[in-house]
Amino acid sequence: TQLLEQSPQFLSIQEGENLTVYCNSSSVFSSLQWYRQEPGEGPVLLVTVVTGGEVKKLKRLTFQFGDARKDSSLHITAAQPGDTGLYLCAGAQDYQLIWGAGTKLIIKP
Amino acid sequence: KAGVTQTPRYLIKTRGQQVTLSCSPISGHRSVSWYQQTPGQGLQFLFEYFSETQRNKGNFPGRFSGRQFSNSRSEMNVSTLELGDSALYLCASSLASGLSGEKLFFGSGTQLSVL
């Protein structure tokens, strides 16, 4: 069974702090996506990374795909209350989409 | 452009009943995927439909079924409901297969409670 492990499962920090969320697997993915889900809504795609070592930035969010395409990280700089939500990663492999269990992030004002 | 529409938004059923959930994808999208989400479990893939054909199925019992119509709208049905079926059911549409890393557009989901 392929697994995509996300850590931490839960993170509660103060506004203005930095944080990193990890998504790890022993399997190689052709691409990896990060989604954010707010309460009562469906997930919304933030970014897709495809190339090993790729770094993508979305305002204060920085996404990195591991060199071996087995892991990824999401770094948020100066977190804002609007960043609160459930962050999900999903890896594409052999016509399957493997989902992590998510990181619940709470940013306190 | 309208997003993915799921109906109903909330549903309360009792054990043993059956339920049908509906999903209207974004116009022009031919792929519809269904997911079950429970706290701490992430998204569990149910099945994917493309042009009215089921292309892939997750590891769920036969009580879970679905179909897609010629206008790409999709329905999923759960028969003989069990307490463990209580979950948020999400539908996602995409241009091509949602299992190949294609961007997925999710609806707001149907929150099903089984009493």
Side-chain angles (χ1 to χ4, degrees), chain B:
Chain B
K1 203 173 191 181
V4 178
T5 304
Q6 288 190 248
T7 56
R9 192 81 168 83
Y10 301 95
L11 206 49
I12 299 175
K13 292 286 188 178
T14 57
R15 279 182 298 173
Q17 287 187 310
Q18 75 163 16
V19 66
T20 298
L21 312 182
S22 179
C23 172
S24 293
I26 290 173
S27 178
H29 285 192
R30 296 165 66 186
S31 173
V32 172
S33 304
W34 287 90
Y35 289 87
Q36 181 194 67
Q37 186 177 33
T38 52
Q41 291 293 315
L43 271 69
Q44 304 295 315
F45 172 71
L46 282 155
F47 26 67
E48 181 195 30
Y49 286 88
F50 187 89
S51 295
E52 302 179 66
T53 301
Q54 187 180 89
R55 296 182 79 169
N56 211 335
K57 191 176 190 304
N59 190 26
F60 277 82
R63 301 185 296 107
F64 292 81
S65 63
R67 58 178 175 169
Q68 187 180 33
F69 302 96
S70 58
N71 61 357
S72 293
R73 189 178 72 86
S74 178
E75 289 181 346
M76 69 162 280
N77 184 77
V78 188
S79 62
T80 319
L81 284 166
E82 300 178 359
L83 294 178
D85 295 334
S86 294
L88 179 66
Y89 289 87
L90 291 163
C91 161
S93 78
S94 54
L95 282 169
S97 170
L99 299 179
S100 57
E102 182 83 8
K103 180 177 181 179
L104 297 176
F105 294 82
F106 284 88
S108 297
T110 294
Q111 183 67 55
L112 172 65
S113 297
V114 182
L115 306 178

Side-chain angles (χ1 to χ4, degrees), chain A residues 25-40:
Chain A
S25 176
S26 57
S27 303
V28 176
F29 296 106
S30 57
S31 66
L32 192 137
Q33 300 172 320
W34 284 93
Y35 289 81
R36 180 170 66 207
Q37 183 177 21
E38 297 183 17

